[in-house]
Amino acid sequence: MRAEEAVDAGYDEIQHANMLFLNFMPDVKDTRTPARFTAVAERGADLDLSSSEVRAFIEKLRSRGIVVDPTVAVFEGLFTARTGSLAPSYAMIAERMPPQVRRGFLTGGLPEAGKLADFILVDGDPTKDISDIRRVVTIVKDGRVYDARAIYAELGIR
């Protein structure tokens, strides 16, 4: 059920920000899967909040006094946690939890296949001067950031 359908059916509260975004993603049919998070993560930034469709929905929520509980903090770990590392949202309480619960904090967030980027940052514009490609400043490989100057120094490259 889309958020607007829930409001039309008499609901007086919408929980979770992703449900508000999914209202404008009718192609996401089954929200019982991780798609209810991944679709919003992939496409949420493209939602035009000033579009007539969004403005009309916001007005409907306002005019009917619908309470919105975005529960945004719930999603932080889904998007930031990495397998094998302590989920940032649990760092403050992990030590007080039983071992089996702490292990769960290491399982990572949503699978984001292909989302860890490999790229370089250069000091210049190689599209205007191809030799600028030799001026690498930062390297990102498998989502890890490296200082190119430190690598060059370690390898003896000037």
Side-chain angles (χ1 to χ4, degrees), residues 42-62:
E42 292 167 356
R43 299 169 22 203
D46 295 328
L47 180 62
D48 180 2
L49 299 178
S50 61
S51 70
S52 59
E53 183 182 22
V54 171
R55 306 296 290 163
F57 178 64
I58 291 171
E59 176 55 28
K60 180 181 275 193
L61 295 174
R62 190 204 60 75

Side-chain angles (χ1 to χ4, degrees), residues 33-98:
T33 70
R36 71 184 180 275
F37 306 118
T38 57
V40 173
E42 292 167 356
R43 299 169 22 203
D46 295 328
L47 180 62
D48 180 2
L49 299 178
S50 61
S51 70
S52 59
E53 183 182 22
V54 171
R55 306 296 290 163
F57 178 64
I58 291 171
E59 176 55 28
K60 180 181 275 193
L61 295 174
R62 190 204 60 75
S63 69
R64 296 194 185 177
I66 305 299
V67 174
V68 174
D69 177 4
T71 58
V72 176
V74 171
F75 303 111
E76 179 183 9
L78 294 175
F79 299 123
T80 61
R82 297 291 178 253
T83 302
S85 298
L86 182 63
S89 54
Y90 298 119
M92 294 185 341
I93 62 166
E95 289 182 11
R96 293 177 279 188
M97 296 293 156

Side-chain angles (χ1 to χ4, degrees), residues 1-17 19-20 57 60-61 64-71:
M1 175 182 285
R2 292 177 48 198
E4 189 160 12
E5 293 168 332
V7 170
D8 290 342
Y11 287 47
D12 62 2
E13 181 176 359
I14 301 291
Q15 301 228 349
H16 308 306
M19 298 312 291
L20 297 171
F57 178 64
K60 180 181 275 193
L61 295 174
R64 296 194 185 177
I66 305 299
V67 174
V68 174
D69 177 4
T71 58

